[in-house]
Amino acid sequence: MSRRLLLLLTLTCAVGVGTVYFPQAVSPLVVTALHASPGSAALVVTAIQIGYTAGIFLLVPLGDRLPHRPFLVTLLALTGTGLLAAGCAPGLAPLLAAAAVVGVTTVAAQVIGPLAAGLVAADRRGAVLGTLLSGSTGGMLLARTFGGTLGEWLGWRAPYLAAGAVALLLAAVLARALPVTAPTSRRPYPALLAEPLRLLRTEPELRRSCLYQAAVFGAFSAVWTCLALLLTGPAYGLGAHAVGMLALVGAVTMLCTPYAGRLVDRRGADRVNLGCLLGVLVSAAVLAAGAGGGAAGLAALAGGTLLLDVSMQSGTVANMARVYAVRPDARSRLNTAYMTCAYLGGSGGSWLGVRIYGRAGWQGVCALVALLAAIALARHLVAPHGPGARQAGGDGRGVPVPVGIGGPPTAAPPVGSAGRTV
């Protein structure tokens, strides 16, 4: 894993995740250009998101069955072709079909994580995963700006065509730059699809990491879903653009996740998780101070969302490092189980957040954040830490490996994202 290869993989993560998000900014332009209703145009975004979820379930497990280089190149080539087809679509129906194809195939970031975890020694894994996650976060944050700005200048087709050209260019570069890796499994495809559920039943460290991420991502989703309601409500009376401006605060996480990864390498995943869960708990109290409105309230919201974002993303690095250490031969299947649980937690958090906001207001949402963090923290405090626990960034016995001593991974070829995710 050279620095050049890491940079290339990070860029690929950014493009893959950004492809899911830039259509959100283009949707209003599609309404005007194709004479569609806003609800119909929004189906393009929905098609990509549903396709992305299906791709995680249907394609990511193949990362253990297929060599990574042809698999990633094929995914990017299909994504690029789908984006070009979307940019040339004569009407809404072809655009929806192309968007669904793009959603299913744009799972490169979820394949790159397991690949990267297999290319580095255990004492570097956290730092590499943190760097890849910073790329995913940057892609998510910048995608809407890219799509909206280019679309305003050149029309709604331009972002699709530009993104398609970038994806195809990356496919060509990766075809030459990626190292050759051997598959870690020969199991048939149906068995690969069933494997994530079996791993959830048999691997306690996977279940623990999934619980942490589902709880924290649920809290994160509840906050960002309800934040728009708070800022545009009577307490603040601001426009929807205020939410976008506040979201830019999260750009700091791009700098924090590589540092969190290095902490995982030096101190182990459990210590980083503990700090992150405490950070989410504190963020609930800070966010609660934003209910009153005014400049002080905005400052509390900015500080609270920043703390929540950093805690969630840093915890994601720790969780992924722990998950990938469970079974080096099944990292893609582990990633499928982990990301599915994360998305379920995020969806549940959004659903609960809106309903609690309608009954108890912003303070109720902050109480939900605190409750979810407390559940994960309680589980963390009773988790086995010591000789019997397998620690990410360690030697497999819960002991961190000193820098420079960690040997090569025991098997070849594994990120999620998260990013905000979503």
Side-chain angles (χ1 to χ4, degrees):
M1 176 66 74
S2 65
R3 290 186 178 181
R4 181 177 297 178
L5 179 58
L6 179 57
L7 177 62
L8 179 60
L9 293 178
T10 302
L11 177 61
T12 306
C13 287
V15 172
V17 173
T19 299
V20 181
Y21 287 94
F22 84 78
Q24 295 176 353
V26 180
S27 183
L29 302 175
V30 173
V31 172
T32 303
L34 298 183
H35 307 290
S37 67
S40 298
L43 289 176
V44 177
V45 177
T46 304
I48 289 182
Q49 292 176 337
I50 293 175
Y52 186 67
T53 304
I56 290 175
F57 178 75
L58 296 173
L59 297 182
V60 171
L62 287 172
D64 293 330
R65 182 69 176 80
L66 302 175
H68 284 97
R69 182 164 66 185
F71 186 36
L72 266 175
V73 169
T74 301
L75 285 176
L76 285 168
L78 290 173
T79 299
T81 303
L83 287 167
L84 293 180
C88 297
L92 188 61
L95 177 58
L96 284 172
V101 172
V102 169
V104 171
T105 58
T106 187
V107 291
Q110 309 304 332
V111 177
I112 285 173
L115 164 65
L119 292 178
V120 295
D123 61 298
R124 281 193 62 209
R125 191 171 295 146
V128 168
L129 292 176
T131 301
L132 294 175
L133 185 57
S134 70
S136 298
T137 303
M140 183 186 63
L141 291 174
L142 298 177
R144 296 181 183 92
T145 303
F146 158 79
T149 303
L150 193 60
E152 287 287 347
W153 286 350
L154 302 176
W156 72 269
R157 299 180 187 275
Y160 284 98
L161 297 175
V166 170
L168 292 176
L169 178 61
L170 279 173
V173 174
L174 287 175
R176 298 179 62 86
L178 282 179
V180 176
T181 59
T184 59
S185 173
R186 295 293 183 184
R187 305 193 70 181
Y189 180 60
L192 288 177
L193 293 183
E195 187 75 359
L197 286 177
R198 192 189 70 80
L199 289 169
L200 277 171
R201 291 197 306 269
T202 59
E203 297 293 347
E205 291 295 271
L206 172 61
R207 290 198 302 272
R208 184 158 70 98
S209 299
C210 288
L211 172 63
Y212 296 166
Q213 190 64 21
V216 174
F217 191 42
F220 174 88
S221 299
V223 167
W224 283 100
T225 300
C226 298
L227 195 60
L229 302 176
L230 175 66
L231 291 176
T232 57
Y236 288 93
L238 299 174
H241 68 281
V243 182
M245 295 300 295
L246 193 60
L248 291 178
V249 173
V252 175
T253 59
M254 295 174 60
L255 305 176
C256 294
T257 48
Y259 176 71
R262 290 193 290 272
L263 280 180
V264 171
D265 292 335
R266 296 189 181 104
R267 303 295 183 183
D270 280 334
R271 291 189 181 183
V272 175
N273 269 137
L274 177 60
C276 293
L277 293 175
L278 291 173
V280 175
L281 201 57
V282 173
S283 74
V286 177
L287 287 167
L298 275 177
L301 292 178
T305 52
L306 176 60
L307 180 58
L308 178 63
D309 286 10
V310 170
S311 298
M312 189 203 72
Q313 299 283 25
S314 299
T316 299
V317 177
N319 289 327
M320 288 192 303
R322 184 190 296 107
V323 166
Y324 292 153
V326 170
R327 284 268 307 273
D329 64 316
R331 286 184 174 129
S332 292
R333 286 164 282 172
L334 289 164
N335 196 38
T336 297
Y338 173 75
M339 292 303 300
T340 300
C341 291
Y343 272 89
L344 289 175
S347 301
S350 298
W351 185 85
L352 276 175
V354 170
R355 279 146 187 81
I356 290 175
Y357 185 85
R359 296 190 177 188
W362 182 249
Q363 300 286 9
V365 175
C366 295
L368 173 64
V369 172
L371 175 62
L372 291 172
I375 291 172
L377 185 60
R379 173 65 182 87
H380 185 75
L381 294 177
V382 300
H385 308 303
R390 281 180 288 186
Q391 284 282 344
D395 66 351
R397 298 170 296 162
V399 182
V401 175
V403 174
I405 296 180
T410 57
V415 87
S417 307
R420 298 180 180 222
T421 21
V422 313

